[in-house]
């Protein structure tokens, strides 16, 4: 019994030492409570990176040489709003900032917090800065849920540096955050993780014996890991939840296979190797079906990709390219719809993202077709690369600086708006290629109107 009590005392002493490393703002009871909660937390919570060595992805934002990373490392963190789809690491990044800074860290959730909570934090921050020269970082999750009044309360304290604001949101801050507050923060955008990055996170979870599943000695093939990543569609949380559910169905030393995944996911898992022929064949059929004006076939191949867990950004990019390349000016609205879908999938994620994708696919597939703009730019670029295209004509050159007129720049330029129908004939191409024709409008859709107008202006056939 004495030995047991001694061991318990040693354990508490060890916890106290570990707690001391976390800072002075947490009592031992709170620390032990949080530690116990973490041990019972979902795998996705337990595996949150504790430092940048464990942080996977977003090199373009927090890579070693990037501005934000340097600011964090030097503890000169600016106010910022982090936005991106669910599961991309917004809260994780904020928590890592909290552990690497010497500032006091407060966390609020915009759903439950009110103005009184903000004022309380502000008063404490004022005292902390005045008496201890210690700054305060306030992290506000789902900041887009703060109304205008709540955002206005934050404004003067962010402006005078009393508070360093870190907001997290899945919504576009340019739409959801007041302009005065927005002008005082940096915008940090996190995009969906790639399947390769998700696989690295899954491998971490499988082998980590402290926070992950390492003690269970589970095995899982590379193909199955990529399948889990694909089903997660760039959301690390979803993929880790699938992995945790799979591990719960197996004894120690078991193997996670396709049969286990079918039971968890509840739908058919297709063989869809991202680097294999099936991937490229499906993508090719998808694009050709839109180009060929068959919305039913295009929807079928879209469904294949969605069920298989293809990256949503990859799908959206293909639609946008098709809208510009194969529809073009026959229906300029096609590109508008496609780009709206690109933006929508960033914030919706699955399963809702299937809806704007389907809308864009059917619009592009059903639209009149023209590749005239695509062919035109390729022909123009080929001339630039292979011919002597000459100099910009004198009358088109910049005439805004002193002395330009003496060089003949712009002196003979004819301003089209001074003429009937806002048009007058003059030469725009250099002399060496003045008769070149690149853009040849078709008779399809809106392009027929464009063709008629150009023929009337220039008295030439297209």
């Amino acid at each position: 019994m004495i030995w047991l009590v001694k061991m318990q005392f040693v354990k508490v002493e060890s916890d106290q030492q570990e707690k001391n490393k976390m800072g002075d703002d947490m009592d031992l009871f709170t620390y032990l409570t949080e530690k116990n909660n973490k041990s019972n937390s979902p795998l996705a919570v337990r595996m949150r990176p504790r430092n940048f060595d464990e942080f996977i992805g977003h090199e373009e934002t927090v890579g070693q040489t990037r501005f934000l990373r340097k600011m964090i490392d030097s503890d000169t963190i600016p106010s910022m709003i982090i936005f991106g789809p669910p599961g991309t690491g917004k809260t994780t990044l904020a928590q890592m900032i909290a552990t690497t800074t010497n500032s006091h860290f407060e966390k609020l959730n915009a759903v439950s917090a009110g103005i009184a909570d903000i004022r309380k934090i502000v008063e404490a921050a004022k005292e902390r800065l005045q008496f201890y020269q210690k700054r305060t970082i306030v992290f506000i999750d789902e900041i887009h849920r703060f109304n205008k009044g709540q955002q206005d309360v934050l404004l003067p304290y962010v402006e005078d540096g009393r508070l360093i604001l870190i907001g997290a949101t899945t919504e576009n801050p340019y739409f959801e955050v007041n302009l005065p507050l927005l002008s005082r923060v940096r915008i940090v955008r996190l995009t969906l993780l790639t399947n390769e990055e998700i696989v690295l996170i899954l491998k971490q979870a499988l082998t980590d014996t402290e926070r992950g599943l390492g003690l269970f000695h589970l095995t899982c093939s590379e193909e199955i890991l990529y399948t889990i990543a694909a089903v997660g569609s760039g959301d690390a949380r979803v993929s880790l939840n699938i992995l945790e559910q799979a591990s719960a169905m197996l004894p120690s030393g078991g193997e996670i296979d396709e049969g286990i995944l079918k039971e968890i996911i509840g739908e058919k898992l297709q063989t869809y190797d991202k680097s294999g022929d099936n991937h490229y064949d499906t993508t090719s059929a998808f694009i050709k079906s839109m180009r060929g004006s068959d919305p039913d076939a295009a929807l079928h191949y879209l469904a294949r990709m969605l069920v298989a867990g293809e990256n949503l950004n990859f799908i959206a990019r293909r639609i946008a390219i098709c809208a510009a390349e194969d529809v073009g000016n026959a229906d300029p609205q096609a590109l508008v719809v496609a780009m709206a879908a690109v933006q929508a999938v960033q914030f919706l994620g699955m399963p809702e993202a299937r809806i704007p994708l389907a809308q864009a696919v059917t619009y592009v597939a059903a639209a009149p077709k023209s590749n005239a703009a695509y062919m035109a730019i390729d022909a123009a670029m080929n001339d630039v690369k292979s011919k002597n295209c000459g100099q910009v004509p004198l009358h088109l050159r910049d005439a805004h600086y002193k002395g330009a007129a003496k060089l003949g720049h712009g002196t003979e330029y004819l301003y089209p708006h001074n003429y009937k129908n806002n048009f007058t004939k003059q030469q725009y191409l250099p002399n060496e290629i003045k008769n070149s024709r690149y853009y040849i409008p078709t008779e399809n859709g809106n392009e027929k109107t464009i063709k008629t107008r150009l023929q009337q202006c220039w008295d030439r056939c297209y």
Side-chain angles (χ1 to χ4, degrees):
M1 179 62 72
I2 295 174
W3 175 82
L4 179 60
V5 172
K6 183 177 180 181
M7 288 301 294
Q8 289 175 336
F9 174 76
V10 171
K11 178 69 169 63
V12 171
E13 186 179 56
S14 173
D15 283 328
Q16 178 65 58
Q17 292 171 348
E18 188 175 344
K19 175 262 161 191
N20 289 340
K21 297 177 183 178
M22 302 296 291
D24 300 325
D25 297 319
M26 184 187 297
D27 58 63
L28 182 58
F29 176 78
T30 302
Y31 166 75
L32 291 173
T33 301
E34 289 197 6
K35 185 177 180 181
N36 183 59
N37 289 340
K38 284 181 181 178
S39 66
N40 296 313
S41 296
L43 179 64
V45 174
R46 301 199 308 270
M47 288 305 300
R48 274 182 173 158
R50 297 162 293 189
N51 52 60
F52 283 106
D53 291 333
E54 297 175 349
F55 195 71
I56 293 174
H58 307 305
E59 280 293 317
E60 71 284 356
T61 303
V62 292
Q64 191 73 46
T65 61
R66 298 297 181 178
F67 170 82
L68 181 58
R69 177 67 175 276
K70 290 181 177 179
M71 297 292 282
I72 294 170
D73 289 342
S74 62
D75 199 12
T76 53
I77 302 158
S79 289
M80 69 185 82
I81 292 178
I82 309 169
F83 89 104
T88 50
K90 299 183 295 295
T91 302
T92 296
L93 180 57
Q95 290 179 341
M96 286 198 305
I97 291 173
T99 60
T100 56
T101 180
N102 291 320
S103 303
H104 177 78
F105 192 84
E106 293 278 358
K107 182 177 179 180
L108 291 176
N109 189 298
V111 175
S112 56
I115 290 178
D117 298 299
I118 299 173
R119 295 194 188 282
K120 183 179 178 181
I121 289 175
V122 167
E123 287 304 313
K126 181 179 178 181
E127 293 182 7
R128 201 174 290 115
L129 189 62
Q130 182 177 354
F131 296 112
Y132 306 105
Q133 289 74 54
K134 194 170 189 179
R135 302 184 304 166
T136 298
I137 296 175
V138 57
F139 171 62
I140 302 178
D141 202 9
E142 299 187 84
I143 192 171
H144 62 275
R145 293 182 181 270
F146 261 9
N147 60 37
K148 184 178 185 299
Q150 290 169 309
Q151 292 183 29
D152 286 345
V153 170
L154 287 167
L155 185 60
Y157 309 116
V158 172
E159 189 171 32
D160 67 15
R162 203 177 313 178
L163 290 181
I164 300 169
L165 171 66
I166 301 179
T169 176
T170 56
E171 305 296 327
N172 190 328
Y174 292 101
F175 299 150
E176 303 295 337
V177 179
N178 292 350
L179 185 59
L181 181 58
L182 201 61
S183 66
R184 289 161 176 80
V185 301
R186 292 186 67 87
I187 302 299
V188 177
R189 182 172 187 174
L190 301 184
T191 57
L192 291 168
L193 296 170
T194 65
N195 284 355
E196 289 77 11
E197 290 165 344
I198 296 287
V199 167
L200 290 176
I201 293 171
L202 294 174
K203 287 179 178 179
Q204 269 189 353
L206 277 172
T207 57
D208 192 311
T209 56
E210 179 187 353
R211 301 173 298 147
L213 306 170
L215 295 176
F216 296 100
H217 306 291
L218 300 173
T219 58
C220 186
S221 70
E222 195 86 0
E223 182 182 358
I224 293 297
L225 287 176
Y226 268 96
T227 301
I228 295 173
V231 172
S233 296
D235 188 328
R237 188 186 300 110
V238 171
S239 296
L240 285 168
N241 286 343
I242 294 172
L243 184 67
E244 184 173 28
Q245 292 168 35
S247 69
M249 298 176 65
L250 294 169
S252 181
E255 180 183 0
I256 301 173
D257 57 20
E258 187 174 328
I260 294 291
L261 291 189
K262 283 182 179 179
E263 290 190 48
I264 295 168
I265 298 169
E267 60 187 44
K268 181 182 178 183
L269 287 172
Q270 297 187 14
T271 304
Y272 193 81
D273 180 3
K274 186 174 181 181
S275 61
D277 290 342
N278 190 41
H279 165 78
Y280 292 109
D281 288 346
T282 303
T283 304
S284 176
F286 175 58
I287 294 169
K288 288 171 181 173
S289 297
M290 286 190 291
R291 180 184 297 144
S293 299
D294 189 336
D296 296 314
L299 283 172
H300 170 75
Y301 294 115
L302 171 64
R304 281 197 184 194
M305 290 189 286
L306 292 175
V307 171
E310 179 59 85
N311 186 291
L312 297 178
N313 285 335
F314 174 84
I315 299 173
R317 283 196 295 269
R318 302 283 81 72
I319 300 170
I321 292 168
C322 188
E325 178 180 339
D326 296 307
V327 177
N329 289 329
D331 185 352
Q333 189 67 20
L335 184 57
V336 176
V337 173
M339 288 308 298
V342 170
Q343 187 176 29
V345 300
Q346 289 282 335
F347 302 106
L348 293 178
M350 285 295 285
E352 289 82 0
R354 76 191 191 284
I355 303 169
L357 286 174
Q359 179 185 354
V361 164
T362 51
Y363 192 102
V364 170
K369 301 297 188 293
S370 170
N371 69 348
Y374 160 65
M375 298 295 289
I377 185 59
D378 279 3
M381 290 180 68
N382 184 63
D383 274 4
V384 170
K385 293 176 182 177
S386 61
K387 294 181 179 179
N388 173 20
C389 294
Q391 299 295 313
V392 174
L394 285 175
H395 64 285
L396 298 183
R397 296 187 189 182
D398 181 20
H400 288 86
Y401 62 93
K402 188 176 181 180
K406 294 180 180 179
L407 298 174
H409 291 189
T411 55
E412 297 182 14
Y413 173 63
L414 305 178
Y415 186 54
H417 295 290
N418 290 338
Y419 298 85
K420 184 179 179 181
N421 296 324
N422 307 94
F423 174 80
T424 186
K425 290 182 180 179
Q426 64 184 321
Q427 182 179 322
Y428 289 96
L429 281 170
N431 284 327
E432 288 81 351
I433 55 170
K434 65 180 181 180
N435 294 319
S436 297
R437 298 290 174 265
Y438 301 119
Y439 180 49
I440 311 297
T442 69
E443 294 282 339
N444 298 330
N446 185 71
E447 210 160 42
K448 184 176 182 179
T449 304
I450 294 174
K451 183 175 184 178
T452 300
R453 180 179 182 276
L454 290 177
Q455 287 174 334
Q456 291 172 346
C457 288
W458 295 102
D459 296 329
R460 62 189 178 216
C461 294
Y462 279 88

